[in-house]
Amino acid sequence: MAPESRRVSRYTLSAEAALAALLVLGPVALGGAAHWLAWPLSALAGLASVLAAVGARRQGDTPRIPFLAVPLVGGVLLCALQLVPLPSAVLGWVSPEAAALREDVLVPLGLTGFRPVSLEPSATWRELAKHGAYLLTFLAAAQVCRARASRKRLLSVLAFTGAAVAAVGLGHALFNVETLFGLRAYVHARPPLVTPFGNPNHLAGYLGLTATVAVGLALSAQPRSRAWPFAVAALLSGAGVLLSLSRAGIVFFVFGQVLLAAWLSKQRREARTPAKPSWGRGAAVLLGLLATLSVGAYLAADNLWAEARTADSVESLRHGKVEPWPMMARAARAFPVLGMGRGAFEAAFPRYQTEANPNTFTHPENAVLQVTTEWGVPGLLLLLLGVWGFVGLVRREGHGPVELAVLSGVAALALHNLFDFSLELPACAVAVAVVLGAVARPRESERMFSRSTRTHALPTGPALALAAGLTAVMLVALVPGGRRMEDAEAQLSERVSARAPRAEVRALGLSLIDVHPTDYLLYRLVAMASVGDGAAGAKDALAFVNHVLYLRPLDAPAHRVAARALLHLGRRAQAFLEYRLAHEAGDTRVLLTEAMPRARTPEELATLTPEAPGQATELARSLVGMPERRVLGLAWLAWAREHFEGRPEATALWMEEVRGRLAQGELDAAEAAWAEVERWAPDALATHLLRADVWRARGKGAEALQALEALAKRFPQDVELAFTLAARQQEAGLTRRARDTLDAVAPFLTNLQQRARLLSLEADCFEREGLLARALEQRRSVAGLVPGPDSHFAVARLQERLSRYDAAARSVHEGLRLMPPGGARRAEMEAWAVRLESHERAQVDARRQELLEDPKAQEREQYLRRSQVVSDSPAP
């Protein structure tokens, strides 16, 4: 009796239930990203394999191992090899980079023990458990799916699970819910379709596979009336792919559907005597694809069109995904023998990152680079072996529509992972293991033709022992695998934030570094704690900073910590060089917020001056704009002008020289500097504006105003020129002309800041003219456009002049809410609010007394209140 009709053991059915639970659990556990998933994944995979082996014995079958299990076995063995602690000599031969890390970083810290090849052992322990689970899942699926009913049920579970995930996303979109089930908000991502998958690319890859499997089930359903549930599931999953807005996911989903249609058409052409007309299957797939695209376009046409317009095709792909590949390839070349350790990419790659990037690369987002960097050449060979096994599976005869759909979906997902890493997470990986097991299952028709089969027999006893033993290994591996980098970083960061003693932080840091030797953040946290002790901990801080820069050469915060330590040690020249390196590594504010205020001499400012275009000008503008740093800034400008002579920055530096000299009252020097500006940029608008400033400082206000008005006629659309002219016209008492100037430039405003500045200038005009109510209206509009303490305080000042003390007090409190705590200015504003409230109480008492003495005053009071409510209503 053939296995297809033989009674299935209850153990096999239990194994089927365990596999079905795995298929559902992956998507539910945030697409496999949940940390807790590792334990049930290992337990269910081990349980399924053991039950499948027992079921095979009860049914009289011999467990067979498909050829595709070979690369999975190789992956488990490679993970295990990477975790073996090696002496330094052997480690230096197997992995020179790991040996260099031990000798240059760990040994100087007193961590002299044997080290494994993996640069992040805890992650490799987790990957060992995961790969063992995938292997056992594949083998269990290959055994369970020998029964047609079990095979169909498992594939149906996958198809309907994908449809359920898509339906969850559609429900969230329908009710405009941006958090998962209203409970969980995605912090680091804003997925277009809210599902348990936080990454839209992973969602698209998963739904593309489930949709293709559902199409195969629909095509093979008998009678045809039973195909509708699978067709609906395929339509839902396909629409989910489109609504995910994943460009690569959509492309490879379409590819999978077209590939399936092509294979079905080829199968029909090669069939000599088809049992019934099958010409419609390929066309049905294409019609289903067209229906899916139509539904997706109907639901999200605008979003899809916007996403397509931003694609820029190859150029966008090159800058987004492909640009980092050369860096990753160089990292892979550094680990040819056994790789850097499975799962160690996130921790180890920063050492080989040659371009500053604010984001952390957790994966290469390319399957070939992933296995090459983490497993070296053996991993690449295993990948080629897997491709060979898949091609052999494709060439296997006797595939029905379901098998062809599975192969199409897996091929599309694999190609998608050349630009993504969805197969690194259990949701997609388990689904692929189950469906490939269903296709690679041993067939009764191949029993007599052992040379053509791709399976190998294994006695039941050894199979059961291997399944149980690997399950035990997986569960044991999860114990050291539970120590994660982010947990270690949070633990050490908490101690540093609590200002724990330096010795305590150092001891804790070393214990965590021993577990996570390539986590640069641990070294940096210890350095920060050490530099907080001043000169006493400066040398220790520098030692840890050197380790940080070994592990991550482009770490800007490490350079900043080094600069602080060098300042404590009195090595100021080196300190300012470190500040400059921090800026060049990506810390764009360190020069202005920390380095420049600490500089004492022009030489120190010269040391921290970057060579990048525009940076010297920004530094000069900041120095000249601070009265307490202006003299030092002017002295530095003499060096900067000579250093940047002949570059575009030279003219801008002369302009800052003019402004600085004018602020210092050095009019002759300012005029001489302006002459240099005119020599290098005679026709620039900024040159003419500076000339007007020089004339105004010389007491030639009328000539300066005439020059500005002439410039306004030449440059009628220049907003900044109009603002400057309006301010000068106000100073001259020409408020009506100033408002005309502002009205003329109003159509050319481009942002809220410019709009707020225009309203502020108009408010100044109205205030000078005594039109306080109109000035108040403009000030309130400014506070609505650009909320800030000063905006609300300006409103309060006008309200106080209008004797609206209650409204003025409220405006002051609005400004106080936007101010940082502490400070003399805050205390001054709080005292102002108290005075206003006191005036309001006195005013209320006086009005109450007036109402008691004059019966007709109540009617006037009600009228005044209505008028005040109208005038105090928010401006549009």
Side-chain angles (χ1 to χ4, degrees):
M1 183 179 295
E4 298 288 355
S5 58
R6 185 185 304 165
R7 182 179 178 182
V8 178
S9 168
R10 64 178 182 272
Y11 293 99
T12 303
L13 293 177
S14 299
E16 177 190 335
L19 292 173
L22 281 173
L23 290 174
V24 175
L25 185 63
V28 170
L30 302 180
H35 292 170
W36 53 264
L37 179 62
W39 289 96
L41 172 67
S42 301
L44 286 173
L47 180 64
S49 62
V50 170
L51 290 173
V54 175
R57 170 179 287 184
R58 291 300 182 92
Q59 294 170 191
D61 293 332
T62 300
R64 304 187 70 86
I65 301 178
F67 180 77
L68 272 178
V70 176
L72 295 177
V73 173
V76 173
L77 294 178
L78 277 178
C79 287
L81 284 175
Q82 290 177 330
L83 290 167
V84 177
L86 300 174
S88 59
V90 179
L91 186 63
W93 181 80
V94 176
S95 179
E97 292 291 311
L101 171 68
R102 178 183 181 275
E103 296 300 325
D104 297 341
V105 177
L106 300 179
V107 171
L109 296 177
L111 305 175
T112 57
F114 289 179
R115 306 300 304 184
V117 169
S118 174
L119 299 183
E120 179 54 32
S122 62
T124 306
W125 280 112
R126 292 193 296 274
E127 291 296 326
L128 172 62
K130 283 169 55 177
H131 282 277
Y134 300 154
L135 171 62
L136 295 182
T137 299
F138 175 75
L139 294 177
Q143 177 60 37
V144 169
C145 289
R146 297 174 78 168
R148 180 185 297 113
S150 296
R151 182 166 66 251
K152 181 178 179 181
R153 283 194 295 266
L154 279 177
L155 295 178
S156 299
V157 168
L158 177 62
F160 291 129
T161 301
V165 170
V168 167
L170 292 173
H172 282 76
L174 179 63
F175 294 102
N176 197 25
V177 178
E178 297 184 355
T179 56
L180 184 60
F181 301 115
L183 301 174
R184 179 186 176 88
Y186 290 107
V187 178
H188 302 293
R190 294 289 300 274
L193 196 64
V194 179
T195 67
F197 289 81
N199 188 314
N201 294 314
H202 298 172
L203 174 66
Y206 177 79
L207 292 181
L209 176 62
T210 61
T212 309
V213 171
V215 169
L217 290 170
L219 293 175
S220 62
Q222 294 296 335
R224 289 299 182 189
S225 59
R226 297 183 179 178
W228 287 108
F230 299 112
V232 172
L235 185 63
L236 278 174
S237 295
V241 174
L242 297 178
L243 295 178
S244 71
L245 302 184
S246 169
R247 289 170 292 193
I250 295 171
V251 168
F252 288 109
F253 165 68
V254 174
F255 168 80
Q257 300 292 299
V258 173
L259 180 63
L260 174 59
W263 275 347
L264 289 170
S265 300
K266 179 176 180 294
Q267 188 182 60
R268 174 190 175 273
R269 288 195 304 270
E270 293 176 352
R272 296 180 180 178
T273 56
K276 56 183 178 179
S278 58
W279 57 268
R281 283 180 173 171
V285 174
L286 296 179
L287 288 175
L289 174 61
L290 180 61
T292 302
L293 295 176
S294 301
V295 170
Y298 175 77
L299 293 176
D302 293 339
N303 292 335
L304 287 169
W305 177 244
E307 189 72 13
R309 284 167 49 185
T310 61
D312 281 341
S313 118
V314 176
E315 187 66 18
S316 175
L317 180 65
R318 185 179 71 84
H319 285 293
K321 301 280 189 180
V322 180
E323 194 172 32
W325 285 1
M327 290 189 296
M328 297 169 182
R330 286 193 294 271
R333 287 197 295 269
F335 299 91
V337 180
L338 280 179
M340 62 175 60
R342 189 74 170 107
F345 182 86
E346 179 180 357
F349 177 68
R351 171 162 166 69
Y352 308 94
Q353 188 173 338
T354 56
E355 297 178 8
N357 193 309
N359 301 315
T360 299
F361 290 98
T362 60
H363 299 81
E365 301 199 35
N366 177 281
V368 177
L369 288 172
Q370 186 83 49
V371 299
T372 307
T373 54
E374 296 186 344
W375 273 338
V377 174
L380 187 59
L381 295 177
L382 287 179
L383 183 62
L384 293 175
L385 193 62
V387 172
W388 183 30
F390 182 81
V391 172
L393 200 60
V394 171
R395 298 180 62 183
R396 194 177 181 183
E397 296 180 357
H399 289 316
V402 176
E403 285 82 3
L404 292 177
V406 165
L407 295 173
S408 301
V410 171
L413 182 59
L415 292 175
H416 185 192
N417 272 259
L418 294 177
F419 307 97
D420 191 33
F421 60 101
S422 58
L423 285 175
E424 292 296 306
L425 299 180
C428 290
V430 167
V432 168
V434 171
V435 298
L436 284 181
V439 177
R441 70 190 187 279
R443 300 177 185 176
E444 187 68 17
S445 60
E446 295 176 343
R447 177 182 294 181
M448 303 303 296
F449 304 98
S450 58
R451 292 183 181 179
S452 64
T453 184
R454 288 270 176 174
T455 63
H456 304 275
L458 182 68
T460 303
L464 187 59
L466 287 175
L470 185 54
T471 301
V473 170
M474 290 189 301
L475 295 176
V476 170
L478 290 177
V479 176
R483 297 177 292 187
R484 297 178 178 270
M485 281 199 315
E486 54 265 36
D487 297 334
E489 293 165 0
Q491 182 183 359
L492 187 58
S493 178
E494 186 273 331
R495 300 308 301 149
V496 173
S497 300
R499 298 187 180 276
R502 178 163 57 95
E504 177 185 339
V505 173
R506 194 180 195 278
L508 177 60
L510 290 178
S511 66
L512 297 174
I513 286 170
D514 192 26
V515 178
H516 310 284
T518 50
D519 187 0
Y520 66 88
L521 185 56
L522 298 177
Y523 299 86
R524 189 208 295 168
L525 288 169
V526 178
M528 292 172 62
S530 299
V531 81
D533 275 357
K539 291 185 177 180
D540 200 29
L542 287 175
F544 277 95
V545 164
N546 288 332
H547 297 326
V548 175
L549 295 177
Y550 177 91
L551 296 170
R552 194 189 189 213
L554 298 179
D555 191 68
H559 287 293
R560 183 184 285 214
V561 174
R564 295 172 185 170
L566 289 167
L567 286 176
H568 286 307
L569 295 174
R571 294 151 63 178
R572 299 184 62 83
Q574 288 179 274
F576 288 102
L577 179 59
E578 289 292 333
Y579 276 128
R580 175 178 167 182
L581 292 174
H583 172 82
E584 293 173 351
D587 192 343
T588 58
R589 303 305 303 167
V590 65
L591 295 184
L592 300 182
T593 60
E594 185 171 334
M596 186 265 289
R598 296 186 176 186
R600 299 175 182 171
T601 64
E603 290 75 18
E604 292 176 352
L605 288 172
T607 301
L608 63 85
T609 302
E611 296 291 335
Q615 298 299 321
T617 305
E618 184 179 359
L619 185 60
R621 189 176 299 114
S622 179
L623 285 166
V624 170
M626 299 173 62
E628 66 276 11
R629 310 292 290 174
R630 190 173 295 139
V631 174
L632 177 62
L634 291 172
W636 166 81
L637 272 171
W639 168 86
R641 292 196 312 272
E642 181 180 354
H643 181 75
F644 291 98
E645 186 176 0
R647 303 189 201 178
E649 291 90 342
T651 303
L653 292 174
W654 276 112
M655 291 181 178
E656 296 304 324
E657 173 90 9
V658 174
R659 297 187 180 98
R661 297 297 178 183
L662 288 175
Q664 289 293 100
E666 302 172 4
L667 302 184
D668 292 337
E671 193 161 0
W674 176 81
E676 291 293 330
V677 173
E678 187 181 32
R679 185 166 69 91
W680 292 106
D683 298 325
L685 174 61
T687 303
H688 297 294
L689 290 174
L690 282 176
R691 180 181 61 184
D693 290 339
V694 172
W695 284 353
R696 177 168 167 269
R698 289 282 192 186
K700 301 177 181 179
E703 291 86 340
L705 185 57
Q706 290 175 1
L708 290 175
E709 289 176 342
L711 286 174
K713 294 178 181 179
R714 289 178 55 190
F715 305 97
Q717 299 181 8
D718 193 283
V719 176
E720 294 300 322
L721 172 60
F723 289 162
T724 303
L725 174 59
R728 299 295 173 262
Q729 288 170 334
Q730 283 183 24
E731 293 176 0
L734 305 173
T735 55
R736 292 291 182 91
R737 195 185 298 179
R739 283 196 279 122
D740 291 340
T741 300
L742 295 174
D743 289 340
V745 81
F748 307 111
L749 303 180
T750 58
N751 53 55
L752 291 179
Q753 286 72 23
Q754 290 181 348
R755 177 66 178 170
R757 189 173 174 187
L758 182 142
L759 292 174
S760 296
L761 289 170
E762 287 183 344
D764 291 338
C765 292
F766 289 133
E767 195 169 349
R768 287 173 178 268
E769 295 173 8
L771 303 174
L772 300 185
R774 297 190 65 181
L776 176 60
E777 181 182 353
Q778 302 298 80
R779 292 292 184 192
R780 296 184 64 188
S781 298
V782 172
L785 290 173
V786 187
D790 292 333
S791 301
H792 290 289
F793 295 152
V795 172
R797 180 175 53 81
L798 285 172
Q799 288 170 332
E800 183 181 18
R801 292 183 62 183
L802 291 169
S803 300
R804 302 176 185 175
Y805 301 115
D806 186 36
R810 290 197 302 270
S811 297
V812 173
H813 285 297
E814 286 290 334
L816 287 171
R817 274 195 287 269
L818 300 175
M819 288 185 69
R825 187 162 184 261
R826 183 180 180 87
E828 181 183 350
M829 296 299 107
E830 290 173 347
W832 183 19
V834 171
R835 290 198 306 272
L836 291 170
E837 291 166 353
S838 176
H839 288 319
E840 174 65 17
R841 284 194 297 270
Q843 193 177 55
V844 169
D845 291 341
R847 292 298 301 162
R848 185 181 296 113
Q849 185 64 30
E850 183 181 352
L851 290 173
L852 292 175
E853 296 175 355
D854 185 0
K856 293 184 179 180
Q858 186 174 2
E859 183 178 350
R860 293 196 302 271
E861 177 71 15
Q862 291 176 352
Y863 174 76
L864 291 173
R865 285 182 179 178
R866 286 196 298 270
S867 301
Q868 186 172 351
V869 168
V870 172
S871 63
D872 281 345
S873 60

